[in-house]
Amino acid sequence: MKKRLAIFFMSLIMVVTMSGCGNGKKAVSEMDSAMFQAGTYEGVGKGKNGDIVAVVEVSEDSILSINFKEHSETPGISDPAFEKLPETIIKNKTVAVDAISGATVTSNGILEAVKAALLLAGATEKDITKVVEDNTEYESVELTTDVVIIGSGGAGLSAAIEAANAGADVIVLEKLGTIGGNTARAGGGINGAGTKYQEAVGIIDNPDAFYNSVMSKGVTFKDTTLLRQLVDGSESAVEFLHELGADVSVIIPAHGDSVARTHRPKEGKPGATFAKVMQAKVESQGTKIITNTAAKKLIVENNAVVGVEATSETDRKNYKINAKSVVIATGGFSANNEMVTKYDERLAGLGTTNSPGNVGDGIEMAIEVGAVLENMHKINVMSPLSSAVSDVIAVSQDGVRFAEEYDWLDMDNFVKINEGKAERFVWLILDDTARNEQAGMQSYFHSEVPTANSIEELAKMIDIEGDVLTKTVNTWNKAVESKNDAEFGRKTGMNNKIEKAPFYAIKLVPNVHHTAGGIRIDGDTHVLNGENQPIKNLFAAGEVTGGVHDGTSSLTDIIVHGRIAGKNAALNTK
Ligand code: ADP
């Protein structure tokens, strides 16, 4: 996953071009009014995946260039930070610059690296951290198009593809500096029933089995048409991604399903792979994706939506976009803990796995024009076990298992084990075979993990009774042997026993992962009002909608309903 950039520079460490400066350093006070000592300097900052090395060239009063010699930041997600930040730092001669939303850690690493280089160049901390207020007036921009899509996640991108295919002029608005939203972060894969990839490996499946599996999870829906569309369209959704160039050939069971129907690429993260191929298609169709621009309000005239108002703080622009159809594809609200807590107060204070843009903007804009919501309480926390990882159990601080690990998406179990405890976490217990034989396991080892040569010893390290944890592991090993988890009915991820030392304990805190509730839509993805009638010209798809599925088929939903929304939004313009 990591891309290593190696740009070689003629001058490596520090080339000082100023004459007469012995050791290459000179205090600013000695430089009269000069801000820097002219030359090229290197600084290091901490990015998301490791060090970022900035190479900064300065004259006495200006920053001339900023390049990056080395970094291992995630391609795509981090690109806008490398592109935009240097420009602003050079313009304002300060590192007191806002991070690029969606790439905050990388941005901070870049700022740290450039700052270190500028300090080496003799600048004072005060000079290069001064806040330069941007007083540029906002420019008013008016655009007219057929279809505006709000949000560039999977739902927005697939809607854009179909709307353009149907001949519409499309504009996509994206609040963050990066494209792909939460979709680009998704693990797991896309659920599809009855695909040729399943058939190739002998998996027998069909949409009815998929439908029944979702219905068995205890979620209710006002209109099951939407779930029916999701399962019936799932095979074609997988094929859609494949035709755009994504590999979907690896199939795994997920979320406690006994049938393997989650399709993912052999290499690379599923969501990022899918978002990338869709983005490439959207761009090849000539559709403009306006980034760093947040939709603020739907424009309504005579009871019909006729456009969107949006603002770009970075570009200092206020947009009025006139459109014949508007598609809301702004994703869920996991990153808005206040809103999350409004619907499930037990989740107060939890973090999220989601992109920072997913704060429920679309839901609020839709409510303002009369939309109604469904299933808002259905909020999932991240299972401690990714479906890509097996041979691991999750235990509470009492040393016992408390749920079918792969299905642990409901807060109920988690809250039960944490009753009265301030800190909310579980321990993943695994052995050395599980650690070494699975690529997916490595990401769990990013920080120091309690390690011991016996379960007894491991228990001591994490403050659990040794005999209790030993009993839990022994019971589990018997379940693996007989392929029968009598306690919780787990059927997957039980290939090897937990028996080979050393043993590991990984502490996991749950995160809010997916919000299955949202705007009510009909089968044509029209946004519905309180009388169950479509709000004219307004469509919605993806995680921003509610009452479609239980929260475990998100990638399928965004493609199936995103495509329907795009087609219908285009049709509505005719
Ligand atoms: P889905 O899975 O439904 O496609 P994602 O979370 O993948 O949802 O994508 C939603 C996208 O919408 C994110 O990129 C997010 O930054 C963007 N977004 C959220 N609110 C706004 C807004 N007000 N204006 C423009 N884009 C928005």
Side-chain angles (χ1 to χ4, degrees), residues 63-86:
I63 303 171
L64 302 175
S65 68
I66 299 174
N67 288 293
F68 298 95
K69 190 177 150 194
E70 214 171 76
H71 74 80
S72 37
E73 299 303 280
T74 313
I77 293 179
S78 69
D79 293 350
F82 286 104
E83 282 156 20
K84 289 231 162 192
L85 287 178

Side-chain angles (χ1 to χ4, degrees), residues 101 149-158 172-186 275 278 290 292-297 308-311 328-332 354-362 365 514 541-545 554-555 557-559 562:
S101 49
I149 295 170
I150 311 173
S152 74
L157 292 174
S158 59
V172 179
L173 295 176
E174 172 52 54
K175 173 183 184 171
L176 301 185
T178 46
I179 292 168
N182 219 24
T183 304
R185 296 179 174 221
M278 286 192 277
I290 310 179
N292 286 311
T293 302
K296 298 283 183 191
K297 193 173 181 262
V308 179
E309 283 175 13
T311 296
I328 305 178
T330 49
N354 276 213
S355 152
N358 287 31
V359 292
D361 290 356
M365 284 187 278
H514 184 273
E543 197 174 332
V544 73
T545 64
S554 186
L555 288 175
D557 173 38
I558 62 181
I559 307 288

